[in-house]
């Protein structure tokens, strides 16, 4: 005879989640937030972290802005919050605000290479290795995001990376291989079908001077399927080696990874090399030191896929009787009156649209516990970025489509960001009453500058140096800018008997983007919740 008793699994309610400037038990949250764990992230074939939010977070919409590798998803938390301003959420990695949210190709000197320059297409999160992430918390409502003030108006995504654990060094390898392809393409006419359609137009008088090469459809084959010519089965692979371990006093996590992803359009590619180090040290019983540092180097090889007259458009409008290559192995061309269309394969492989990005981010913090239940957290965060965007258009003669002048342009961007945070947290439980109070200060400054050069008429297509172009075509531009913010904030959480919970948040922001008389503003928020499952009248229902 066996008597088996099942105990309630309180692990979910006792789970600690990240909130702005601290952590809380999930059961004590009054604001609205949703978690995406390591398992969900690892279960996705993704290049960038924002792609892992697609279909995995309630109230969060994630839509890819482009099919090119390394591009971003457009994230909307609880719908569109603005009409004429940025609507992307605020990304915070280990407490450091991510700079350059969803930059367009134009901001890197690539023109409209990725289509509409107003659409955020190049993801700043593609520089981060998803395998280094342990969790993501999406703060959704006013109460949860108020601690970030105006910066959190579109929601906040808090990203936490892996840290060390006490124990023997644990060496891990994490590898991934994936294949991508278009499962469905537009049904277009082959050469024989196109010839029949052409003859029907000629017979009905729609064409004033029909071409006789299509008169006998029986001798024609299928011709060139330009969709099949520009699309490919793309391979993706990623490799990571990490070491995790430490003692009771010092814990560490170190990882290095490499990822390479081909695009489904020929010639497009994205690769990333990243190195991460996280360290935590309990220097004294009252003093803790922590630091994080990440370096990443990414390379994008982009194509004119999404612009108004890009590869996909030409692959659908180029007639199928043109071969890809001529008898000499060169790209074929066509010269016909009233018809001009470049060879899409030539268009894909001839132009160079390259982007290199380097990024160093991280922080260093101290946690001091002068008395029991009181913790002072002091932190310095940084984000240093540099990029080089190159675009080269060679001279081309494809019959009816000619580019007589080559063009070369290079733009270099650099940016620096630093932030300083200090906040004190006091927590105490007395009887049925629980209080967690936090008060703090934050300031940050962001600077950027860029230099762009352009010229045409270079002596050869093998030379990609704008300085060697025609001097009359020189175009040099440069710019710089900066912004800063200072803030004071506080958050008070009250819990009575694990039944009634209340949260009050206030933040006072001052931004350099506004005039002296309109620079400061305050943001209040209050939230309450009732955990009725802990009431006495719910006890009889526990065994149901």
């Amino acid at each position: 005879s066996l008597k088996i008793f099942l105990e309630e699994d309180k692990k979910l309610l006792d789970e600690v989640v990240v909130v702005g400037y601290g952590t809380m038990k999930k059961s004590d949250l009054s604001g609205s937030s949703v978690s995406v764990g390591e398992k969900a992230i690892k279960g996705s074939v993704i290049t960038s972290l924002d792609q892992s939010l697609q279909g995995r977070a309630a109230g969060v919409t994630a839509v890819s802005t482009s099919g090119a590798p390394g591009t971003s998803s457009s994230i909307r938390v609880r719908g569109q919050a603005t009409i004429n301003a940025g609507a992307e959420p605020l990304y915070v990695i280990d407490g450091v605000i991510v700079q350059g949210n969803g930059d367009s190709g134009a901001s890197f000197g690539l023109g409209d290479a990725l289509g509409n320059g107003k659409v955020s297409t190049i993801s700043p999160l593609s520089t981060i290795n998803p395998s280094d992430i342990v969790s993501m918390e999406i703060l959704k409502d006013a109460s949860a995001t108020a601690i970030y003030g105006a910066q959190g108006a579109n929601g906040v995504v808090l990203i936490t990376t892996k840290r060390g654990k006490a124990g023997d060094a644990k060496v891990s390898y994490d590898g991934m291989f994936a294949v991508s392809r278009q499962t469905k393409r537009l049904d277009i006419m082959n050469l024989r079908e196109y010839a029949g359609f052409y003859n029907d137009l000629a017979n009905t008088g729609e064409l004033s001077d029909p071409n006789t090469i299509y008169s006998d459809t029986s001798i024609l084959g299928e011709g060139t399927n330009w969709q099949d010519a520009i699309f490919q089965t793309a391979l993706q692979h990623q490799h990571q080696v990490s070491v995790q371990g430490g003692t009771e006093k010092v814990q560490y996590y170190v990882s290095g990874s490499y990822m390479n992803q081909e695009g489904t359009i020929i010639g497009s590619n994205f690769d990333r090399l990243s190195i991460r180090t996280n360290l935590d040290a309990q220097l004294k019983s009252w003093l803790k030191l922590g630091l994080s540092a990440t370096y990443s180097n990414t390379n994008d090889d982009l194509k004119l896929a999404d612009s108004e007259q890009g590869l996909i458009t030409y692959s659908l409008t180029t007639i199928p009787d043109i071969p890809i290559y001529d008898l000499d192995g060169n790209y074929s061309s066509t010269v016909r009156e009233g018809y001009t269309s470049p060879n899409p394969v030539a268009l894909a492989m001839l132009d160079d649209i390259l982007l290199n990005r380097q990024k160093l981010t991280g922080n260093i913090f101290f946690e001091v516990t002068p008395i029991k239940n009181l913790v002072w957290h002091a932190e310095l965060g940084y984000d240093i970025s540099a990029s080089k965007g190159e675009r080269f258009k060679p001279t081309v003669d494809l019959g009816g489509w000619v580019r007589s002048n080559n063009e070369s342009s290079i733009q270099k961007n650099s940016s620096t960001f630093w932030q300083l945070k200090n906040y004190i947290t006091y927590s105490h439980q007395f009887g049925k009453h629980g209080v967690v109070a936090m008060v703090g200060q934050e300031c940050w400054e962001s600077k950027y500058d860029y230099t762009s050069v352009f010229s045409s008429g270079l002596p050869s297509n093998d030379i990609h140096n704008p300085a060697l172009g025609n001097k009359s075509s020189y175009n040099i531009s440069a710019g710089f800018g900066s912004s800063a913010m200072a803030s004071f904030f506080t958050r008070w959480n009250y819990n009575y008997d694990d039944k009634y919970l209340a949260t009050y948040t206030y933040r006072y922001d001052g931004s350099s983007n506004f005039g002296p008389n309109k620079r400061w503003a305050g943001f209040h928020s209050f939230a309450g919740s009732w955990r009725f499952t802990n009431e006495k009248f719910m006890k009889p229902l526990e065994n149901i």
Side-chain angles (χ1 to χ4, degrees), residues 8 13 498-499 530-539 542:
E8 181 182 359
L13 292 178
D498 277 340
K499 299 178 184 178
W530 173 33
R531 195 180 302 155
F532 61 85
T533 53
N534 287 350
E535 295 286 358
K536 290 183 179 179
F537 62 78
M538 292 295 294
K539 297 297 182 182
E542 287 184 352

Side-chain angles (χ1 to χ4, degrees), residues 409-486:
S409 64
I410 297 177
Q411 178 170 313
K412 291 187 176 182
N413 296 19
S414 65
S415 64
T416 57
F417 169 84
W418 63 266
Q419 68 179 32
L420 179 64
K421 293 189 292 187
N422 288 277
Y423 56 91
I424 297 174
T425 305
Y426 176 77
S427 58
H428 186 62
Q429 184 75 32
F430 47 98
K432 294 183 178 182
H433 303 273
V435 175
V436 179
M438 185 269 292
V439 60
Q441 155 284 323
E442 179 181 30
C443 58
W444 59 256
E445 182 182 33
S446 177
K447 295 182 178 180
Y448 75 91
D449 64 81
Y450 74 91
T451 303
S452 176
V453 294
F454 167 88
S455 74
S456 62
L458 283 77
S460 168
N461 286 337
D462 297 326
I463 298 174
H464 295 189
N465 186 349
L468 301 178
N470 191 325
K471 292 185 178 181
S472 63
S473 68
Y474 283 1
N475 189 345
I476 301 175
S477 61
F480 59 89
S482 66
S483 61
M485 179 175 284

Side-chain angles (χ1 to χ4, degrees), residues 4 6 12 73 135 158 208 252 265-266 286 293 301 333 356 376 423 458 472 480-481 489:
I4 301 175
L6 299 179
L12 181 63
S73 296
S135 69
L158 303 177
S208 58
Y252 59 86
I265 289 183
I266 57 174
W286 50 271
D301 192 345
S333 60
N356 171 258
W376 169 38
Y423 56 91
L458 283 77
S472 63
F480 59 89
F489 50 85

Side-chain angles (χ1 to χ4, degrees), residues 279-540:
L279 176 68
D280 296 284
Q282 193 72 45
L283 302 180
K284 298 287 184 179
S285 60
W286 50 271
L287 178 61
K288 180 180 179 180
L289 165 69
L291 64 86
S292 301
T294 304
Y295 170 77
S296 62
N297 187 313
T298 65
N299 293 283
D300 294 81
D301 192 345
L302 305 166
K303 297 300 172 187
L304 287 164
D306 301 332
S307 59
E308 184 178 351
Q309 291 184 333
L311 293 176
I312 297 176
T313 300
Y314 284 126
S315 72
L316 299 174
T317 57
T318 302
I319 55 180
D321 68 344
I322 305 173
I324 300 175
Y325 303 100
D326 60 22
L327 296 177
D328 297 324
N330 301 316
Y331 293 116
S332 64
S333 60
T334 180
V335 179
R336 295 179 189 174
E337 185 177 354
Y339 178 80
T340 300
S341 180
N343 184 323
V345 175
L347 194 64
M349 304 307 293
L350 289 175
D351 287 11
D352 287 336
I353 307 173
L354 309 174
L355 175 63
N356 171 258
R357 289 177 292 164
Q358 299 186 62
K359 198 175 187 69
L360 178 64
T361 61
N363 62 356
I364 181 171
F365 68 86
F366 291 92
E367 286 188 353
V368 181
T369 309
I371 61 175
K372 185 179 179 181
N373 299 328
L374 182 69
V375 179
W376 169 38
H377 182 102
E379 178 181 329
L380 174 65
Y382 59 89
D383 186 334
I384 304 171
S385 303
S387 68
K388 180 182 180 181
E390 298 182 72
R391 187 164 184 178
F392 184 79
K393 298 181 179 181
T395 56
V396 181
D397 187 353
L398 296 176
W401 198 84
V402 177
R403 185 192 292 152
S404 56
N405 257 340
N406 53 22
E407 298 177 357
S408 178
S409 64
I410 297 177
Q411 178 170 313
K412 291 187 176 182
N413 296 19
S414 65
S415 64
T416 57
F417 169 84
W418 63 266
Q419 68 179 32
L420 179 64
K421 293 189 292 187
N422 288 277
Y423 56 91
I424 297 174
T425 305
Y426 176 77
S427 58
H428 186 62
Q429 184 75 32
F430 47 98
K432 294 183 178 182
H433 303 273
V435 175
V436 179
M438 185 269 292
V439 60
Q441 155 284 323
E442 179 181 30
C443 58
W444 59 256
E445 182 182 33
S446 177
K447 295 182 178 180
Y448 75 91
D449 64 81
Y450 74 91
T451 303
S452 176
V453 294
F454 167 88
S455 74
S456 62
L458 283 77
S460 168
N461 286 337
D462 297 326
I463 298 174
H464 295 189
N465 186 349
L468 301 178
N470 191 325
K471 292 185 178 181
S472 63
S473 68
Y474 283 1
N475 189 345
I476 301 175
S477 61
F480 59 89
S482 66
S483 61
M485 179 175 284
S487 306
F488 302 92
F489 50 85
T490 185
R491 179 175 57 219
W492 296 74
N493 294 310
Y494 174 72
N495 181 338
Y496 177 74
D497 199 21
D498 277 340
K499 299 178 184 178
Y500 313 106
L501 302 98
T503 300
Y504 171 72
T505 305
Y506 177 70
R507 184 175 178 115
Y508 193 54
D509 281 339
S511 173
S512 65
N513 293 328
F514 299 95
N517 298 327
K518 300 290 185 180
R519 186 157 289 170
W520 292 87
F523 303 88
H524 297 267
S525 172
F526 177 81
S529 59
W530 173 33
R531 195 180 302 155
F532 61 85
T533 53
N534 287 350
E535 295 286 358
K536 290 183 179 179
F537 62 78
M538 292 295 294
K539 297 297 182 182

Side-chain angles (χ1 to χ4, degrees), residues 123-183:
S123 172
L125 297 182
S126 63
T127 61
I128 306 299
N129 177 17
S131 298
D132 284 334
I133 306 305
V134 67
S135 69
M136 290 193 294
E137 309 292 336
I138 299 95
L139 309 182
K140 300 190 294 183
D141 69 351
S143 173
T145 62
I147 195 65
Y148 286 97
Q151 300 175 98
N154 298 320
V156 183
V157 179
L158 303 177
I159 301 170
T160 304
T161 62
K162 297 178 181 178
R163 307 197 75 85
K165 297 180 180 179
D168 294 335
K170 181 182 178 181
V171 182
S172 302
Y173 167 78
D174 186 4
M176 180 267 289
F177 178 81
V179 178
S180 303
R181 68 183 304 271
Q182 281 81 15
T183 58

